[in-house]
Amino acid sequence: MSLSRRAFGASLATALGALASACSASPTGSGGSGPAAITPAPRAAMGGDRSFVYETGDHLEGAADWRPTESVYGDASGRPMYLVGDSMAAQLASPLRAAAEAHGYAFKPRTKTKVSFRLPVAGTPTERRWRRAVFDQIRADRSRRPLVIATGQQMGDAHEITRTVEGLRAVGAEVRLVTVSPVPSTDVPPEVAEHGSDHHWRVRHWGSSRAAMREAARTAEPSIPLLDLQPLVARGREGDSYASVVDGVLVFGPGSHLTDTFATRFLADPLKEFTAADVPGRESDHARLADPPGCYGIVRCRS
């Protein structure tokens, strides 16, 4: 039986309304409100889901910027904990701030784009001024047993790393190293935006300074505690690829930088353990459960 003109019009309006709703809804895996939503949304992550130090100015981004801030987060009267290095260090600021608050530390992030912390002070005039200024701050805290967490893409020589650690130890600091994050073969957020939460990333390399850091941790006397990010970031392995989205959280932002959401959620507990007063001289449960195996919170890093 044919529909009346009025009934046909109503049916057509209903169908067009449903189509419009479907077209305006967030696509699966794009950060919408559905069960497959991703945080941060891939398209938003392309613009940066970054640590608070970018907003506060504690991470220096200008090529001519060299003067570190004097900001302190957590308990200002507590043991100083410095974070030094480039943007690979800056991405750890949020979970380290949480660790500092848990331990009662005075957290002092001192990072600069494309500049790792190295001793003896060297580099361009701006790099030298920044390294010297950060070193002077650490030295001024020597009576308070400062803890220094260091990482950076330019820390690519084990002997240089050892000299840097020795220089910091000479002014009363305790030093612990964190490897840089792995480098995917492609930019991950656009891939996830296109293919959804099941996308996996492949490795270009495990970090330009990772091998040197592991060697320095093994060979230095006294040995240097090391946190290897590889097993914490490379999760959900399928063949030679790894999950781009873990428990609904996007792992990478642009390039090889972790999203602040991922770092805050998945690195907070390991970093809290790693920055405790006494670092355990054994492989932690985090590394044993991670995929692939790595070197986490151990005094002598195994190969």
Side-chain angles (χ1 to χ4, degrees), residues 162-244:
T162 300
R163 286 199 299 269
T164 298
V165 172
E166 290 173 347
L168 289 168
R169 286 172 171 171
V171 296
E174 180 186 355
V175 185
R176 301 177 191 177
L177 303 175
V178 179
T179 66
V180 297
S181 51
V183 178
S185 60
T186 59
D187 211 17
V188 171
E191 297 288 336
V192 174
E194 180 178 355
H195 301 291
S197 59
D198 291 334
H199 179 266
H200 279 57
W201 57 275
R202 286 182 167 80
V203 179
R204 177 174 296 167
H205 58 79
W206 290 112
S208 57
S209 60
R210 179 173 178 266
M213 284 189 165
R214 288 167 62 88
E215 181 182 348
R218 285 193 299 267
T219 59
E221 292 293 343
S223 54
I224 311 168
L226 173 76
L227 171 62
D228 190 350
L229 293 187
Q230 176 185 323
L232 298 171
V233 175
R235 297 167 178 252
R237 183 173 183 174
E238 289 187 2
D240 62 350
S241 65
Y242 303 89
S244 299

Side-chain angles (χ1 to χ4, degrees), residues 81-294:
M81 181 172 72
Y82 285 85
L83 171 64
V84 300
D86 55 18
S87 56
M88 287 285 138
Q91 68 181 354
L92 304 177
S94 294
L96 278 173
R97 181 178 182 177
E101 292 172 353
H103 295 313
Y105 293 162
F107 181 47
K108 302 183 178 186
R110 306 290 185 260
T111 59
K112 178 172 171 59
T113 294
K114 296 183 179 179
V115 182
S116 300
F117 183 83
R118 294 184 296 184
L119 297 174
V121 170
T124 67
T126 300
E127 291 172 353
R128 290 199 301 271
R129 296 180 79 179
W130 175 77
R131 288 170 175 145
R132 171 58 63 183
V134 172
F135 180 72
D136 287 345
Q137 286 192 14
I138 296 170
R139 181 168 54 185
D141 276 331
R142 66 183 305 166
S143 64
R144 300 169 63 194
R145 301 181 303 108
L147 172 61
V148 178
I149 308 300
T151 190
Q153 298 178 89
Q154 296 176 358
M155 299 176 73
D157 182 277
H159 297 294
E160 287 186 358
I161 294 171
T162 300
R163 286 199 299 269
T164 298
V165 172
E166 290 173 347
L168 289 168
R169 286 172 171 171
V171 296
E174 180 186 355
V175 185
R176 301 177 191 177
L177 303 175
V178 179
T179 66
V180 297
S181 51
V183 178
S185 60
T186 59
D187 211 17
V188 171
E191 297 288 336
V192 174
E194 180 178 355
H195 301 291
S197 59
D198 291 334
H199 179 266
H200 279 57
W201 57 275
R202 286 182 167 80
V203 179
R204 177 174 296 167
H205 58 79
W206 290 112
S208 57
S209 60
R210 179 173 178 266
M213 284 189 165
R214 288 167 62 88
E215 181 182 348
R218 285 193 299 267
T219 59
E221 292 293 343
S223 54
I224 311 168
L226 173 76
L227 171 62
D228 190 350
L229 293 187
Q230 176 185 323
L232 298 171
V233 175
R235 297 167 178 252
R237 183 173 183 174
E238 289 187 2
D240 62 350
S241 65
Y242 303 89
S244 299
V245 178
V246 177
D247 292 344
V249 177
L250 183 66
V251 177
F252 288 103
S256 60
H257 293 91
L258 305 174
T259 64
D260 191 53
T261 303
F262 179 87
T264 300
R265 179 167 172 182
F266 291 98
L267 302 186
D269 286 344
L271 284 168
K272 178 182 175 182
E273 181 180 335
F274 185 67
T275 55
D278 297 314
V279 176
R282 59 179 178 80
E283 191 172 359
S284 81
D285 291 339
H286 292 283
R288 286 195 291 272
L289 293 174
D291 177 25

Side-chain angles (χ1 to χ4, degrees), residues 66-78:
W66 65 269
R67 191 184 301 277
T69 67
E70 298 184 357
S71 302
V72 181
Y73 303 91
D75 184 352
S77 63

